[in-house]
């Protein structure tokens, strides 16, 4: 393998001569931050804890969990890494089955969706980059979905989630 002679790393953001103690550890036995009959979410690294660099969440979906319908983000990419079980992933073109170790990267603006269509639970890592304050979205999306209508649409947009169903019929 050949390497470029002049690699381009991002500009330094840390300007001291010595490193500092600032790592954050989260034990595997930390309980989920959100639990519901349909699954749970663990806040591994939030927008706040990473100073906006990224957000990383472990999501566990129960059997036959609906997931999220087709949508896109204008401000962040989203990545899916399957830890266990199976998950149907829409890559903007077709549905693919994600299994343990499979990965899907969705760039900014990329259509995507996901759902668990099996009779078994599954777990995955969700990575958002750059980080965004997704916690309120995770905590309130079920409540807002029950409300529906314009209130749900505005909630989704406020959280950089543009669902295709919210804009069907507009501009015709």
């Amino acid at each position: 393998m050949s390497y470029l002679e002049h690699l381009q790393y991002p500009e330094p953001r840390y300007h001291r001569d010595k490193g500092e103690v600032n790592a954050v550890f989260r034990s595997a036995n930390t309980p989920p931050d959100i639990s519901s009959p349909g699954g749970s979410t663990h806040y591994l690294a939030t927008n706040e804890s990473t100073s906006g660099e990224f957000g990383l969440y472990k999501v566990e979906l129960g059997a036959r969990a609906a997931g999220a319908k087709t949508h896109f983000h204008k401000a962040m990419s989203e990545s899916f890494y399957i830890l266990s079980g199976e998950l149907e992933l829409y890559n903007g073109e077709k549905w693919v089955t994600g299994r343990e170790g499979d990965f899907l990267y969705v760039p900014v603006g990329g259509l995507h969706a996901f759902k668990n269509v099996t009779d078994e639970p599954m777990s995955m890592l969700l990575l958002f980059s750059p980080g965004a304050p997704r916690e309120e979205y995770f905590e309130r999306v079920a409540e807002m979905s029950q409300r529906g209508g314009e209130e749900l649409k505005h909630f989704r947009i406020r959280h950089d989630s543009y669902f295709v169903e919210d804009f069907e019929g507009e501009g015709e």
Side-chain angles (χ1 to χ4, degrees):
M1 177 183 284
S2 66
Y3 296 95
L4 297 174
E5 188 171 324
H6 301 285
L7 298 176
Q8 295 226 345
Y9 274 77
E11 288 295 316
R13 296 181 296 153
Y14 185 80
H15 300 286
R16 295 184 181 164
D17 293 331
K18 295 184 179 183
E20 55 187 79
V21 177
N22 60 6
V24 178
F25 176 78
R26 182 179 167 107
S27 173
N29 63 4
T30 303
D33 294 278
I34 303 173
S35 290
S36 70
S40 62
T41 303
H42 301 256
Y43 299 167
L44 303 179
T46 64
N47 172 66
E48 184 178 351
S49 70
T50 67
S51 299
E53 290 185 31
F54 66 94
L56 181 64
Y57 305 88
K58 179 181 177 188
V59 176
E60 298 161 325
L61 294 178
R64 304 279 171 194
K69 294 180 181 179
T70 305
H71 65 285
F72 65 95
H73 307 289
K74 292 184 177 184
M76 61 192 172
S77 65
E78 186 172 0
S79 297
F80 299 79
Y81 182 79
I82 309 303
L83 296 170
S84 66
E86 291 185 3
L87 184 69
E88 293 300 303
L89 296 157
Y90 182 64
N91 66 9
E93 185 175 45
K94 64 181 179 178
W95 288 94
V96 295
T97 302
R99 295 179 178 85
E100 183 178 332
D102 287 344
F103 176 77
L104 176 67
Y105 168 66
V106 183
V108 173
L111 292 169
H112 61 288
F114 62 92
K115 58 187 173 183
N116 182 357
V117 299
T118 73
D119 292 326
E120 300 296 326
M122 66 79 55
S123 66
M124 65 178 158
L125 293 177
L126 280 183
L127 174 70
F128 296 95
S129 180
R134 295 300 283 172
E135 297 76 35
E136 182 193 20
Y137 183 81
F138 294 139
E139 293 165 10
R140 297 193 61 211
V141 69
E143 165 200 344
M144 298 306 288
S145 294
Q146 288 184 345
R147 292 182 187 186
E150 286 297 308
E151 196 172 359
L152 173 60
K153 179 179 175 179
H154 291 298
F155 173 79
R156 288 171 167 172
I157 291 171
R158 190 170 91 109
H159 290 284
D160 189 34
S161 295
Y162 296 83
F163 280 73
V164 171
E165 68 184 14
D166 289 339
F167 300 97
E168 290 176 337
E170 287 186 11
E172 291 181 34

